[in-house]
Amino acid sequence: MTRTALVVGASGIVGSATVALLKSRSWSVAGLARRPTMQDGVQPVPADLQDAPGTAKALAAIDPDAIFITTWLRQDTEAKNIRVNAAMVRNLLDGLPKATRPRHVALVTGLKHYLGPFEAYGQGGLPQTPFREEQGRLNIENFYYAQEDELFAAAARDGFSWSVHRPHTVIGLAVGNAMNMGTTLAVYATLCRETQRPFTFPGSATQWTGLTDMTDAGQLASHLLWATETEAAHDEAFNVVNGDIFRWQWMWPRLAEWFGLRAASFDGTVRPLEEQMAGDAGVWRAIADREGLIEPDLHRLASAWHTDADLGRPIEVVTDMSKSRRFGFAGYQPTDDAFFALFEQLRFNRLIP
């Protein structure tokens, strides 16, 4: 019998990769979003998860084997993040019809579980790296914790299995996404080439010299499906990264070379992309007009604030995946290849020249 999936946030970086993987494995896929984009072979489910009655109405005919929650809404304070994003998970799970067969719900959160919310990002008493799942929660309010609590409560009530997935910075394709380092760096490199500005690392000396890792969207999608299909992985939380580690002082010149640039030398000064790209909207629009690109709005492609937050951290961030390996997940994706594949896809889709 064909298995069915509901992907919440189907047009985002993680959601679209998950949709593609599910379709390749012959799942029937429904994609929920406030304004669903037309995706081939995906049943659109328009719903605003902040509207509980409307969500229940939109889900009335949906009876999925698996639900993948890959979306969130950024708010201007953590208190609002908690209120809004917890309600979205609650309204989704409360609005689902009663399952007619075993059901699994996978929730994507991230390393802010260990690093803290944006208001206190990378500050205070943090767990030792590499981050491990058993290190638990920080003693601070965090919307990831609120989302998990909604998931756990609904699972206890309704009897479904669950998994929580904590990626590091995700590399993948999406337009209008709030956290999109790969596309942001591609746009920045294009602007540097256009204006003959140096391709300057925007972050901290710690990030330049320290070890780090990242998560390819395809790797995360594979991890989501693996946990769904692996009974031993049910009712567990996992870190998920590519499996390699690197230093930005090694990666930055590789990214520069792909764009035909030479990486500027780094003197330890933090030069945020929000400042470097502050006046570039008109330049990008001119590039888009000249090259026939499909997105002339710089701010729908680049999320400089998020890239600055990640690359400006004053601590080394490395993620342990031993738990996933022990449970049988063997996926691996070199991070430089993930960047290069994204850049090729951006070029093919006429998002960069």
Side-chain angles (χ1 to χ4, degrees):
M1 185 174 66
T2 300
R3 295 172 294 176
T4 63
L6 174 66
V7 180
V8 183
S11 60
I13 290 178
V14 179
S16 58
T18 304
V19 166
L21 177 62
L22 291 167
K23 288 169 55 181
S24 74
R25 303 288 180 84
S26 300
W27 283 62
S28 175
V29 181
L32 185 149
R34 282 175 296 170
R35 294 178 293 276
T37 58
M38 295 306 296
Q39 294 170 281
D40 186 40
V42 177
Q43 175 190 349
V45 181
D48 180 353
L49 292 179
Q50 297 181 81
D51 175 4
T55 297
K57 182 177 180 180
L59 295 173
I62 305 293
D63 182 19
D65 298 276
I67 298 115
F68 302 93
I69 305 174
T70 71
T71 190
W72 69 290
L73 279 179
R74 184 190 179 199
Q75 306 298 308
D76 56 9
T77 68
E78 191 62 16
K80 291 180 182 177
N81 273 328
I82 291 169
R83 185 174 66 253
V84 170
N85 289 285
M88 288 168 60
V89 173
R90 182 172 61 253
N91 293 340
L92 169 72
L93 298 178
D94 287 354
L96 286 164
K98 184 175 177 60
T100 60
R101 52 191 177 276
R103 176 177 286 173
H104 184 82
V105 180
L107 171 67
V108 177
T109 61
L111 292 197
K112 286 190 290 299
H113 183 94
Y114 309 106
L115 288 164
F118 288 121
E119 293 177 1
Y121 194 49
Q123 302 173 20
L126 300 176
Q128 187 180 59
T129 57
F131 294 139
R132 292 180 170 87
E133 294 89 347
E134 65 266 23
Q135 289 168 321
R137 297 180 175 184
L138 302 174
N139 187 25
I140 187 171
E141 294 296 307
N142 189 320
F143 84 86
Y144 285 169
Y145 306 160
Q147 288 181 308
E148 286 184 345
D149 288 343
E150 295 293 345
L151 175 68
F152 302 155
R157 179 193 67 208
D158 297 335
F160 58 76
S161 61
W162 56 266
S163 55
V164 173
H165 304 256
R166 300 171 186 156
H168 199 169
T169 305
V170 177
I171 304 170
L173 179 64
V175 175
N177 192 274
M179 300 193 296
N180 195 344
M181 182 189 286
T183 301
T184 299
L185 294 180
V187 168
Y188 172 60
T190 302
L191 287 165
C192 288
R193 187 175 60 198
E194 176 77 10
T195 61
Q196 299 186 339
R197 293 179 348 221
F199 186 62
T200 302
F201 182 71
S204 68
T206 301
Q207 292 303 305
W208 181 252
T209 60
L211 293 171
T212 193
D213 47 32
M214 294 184 73
T215 307
D216 178 71
Q219 172 86 334
L220 178 49
S222 295
H223 197 261
L224 289 165
L225 185 54
W226 163 79
T228 298
E229 296 179 330
T230 304
E231 187 173 353
H234 290 176
D235 303 338
E236 297 283 350
F238 296 98
N239 297 329
V240 50
V241 287
N242 287 335
D244 64 344
I245 57 175
F246 64 92
R247 304 179 200 275
W248 278 105
Q249 64 183 0
W250 175 82
M251 183 69 77
W252 197 252
R254 293 180 65 76
L255 303 187
E257 183 179 3
W258 197 93
F259 288 95
L261 299 169
R262 173 177 288 183
S265 59
F266 180 66
D267 63 5
T269 303
V270 177
R271 295 180 173 87
L273 289 180
E274 277 201 301
E275 295 177 7
Q276 292 194 53
M277 300 170 68
D280 284 335
V283 178
W284 183 259
R285 187 171 294 277
I287 294 171
D289 289 345
R290 186 187 71 221
E291 302 291 339
L293 305 183
I294 65 172
E295 183 50 76
D297 185 349
L298 174 66
H299 302 294
R300 281 185 49 76
L301 292 174
S303 53
W305 70 274
H306 175 257
T307 300
D308 286 339
D310 275 9
L311 297 183
R313 288 183 299 219
I315 59 171
E316 181 177 273
V317 177
V318 183
T319 314
D320 182 75
M321 271 195 73
S322 297
K323 184 176 180 180
S324 290
R325 302 305 185 204
R326 290 192 180 102
F327 279 72
F329 181 74
Y332 172 77
Q333 170 63 61
T335 300
D336 52 344
D337 287 351
F339 271 120
F340 301 152
L342 171 63
F343 299 158
E344 292 284 3
Q345 199 173 9
L346 291 170
R347 183 168 283 174
F348 178 81
N349 289 357
R350 303 303 303 155
L351 288 165
I352 64 172

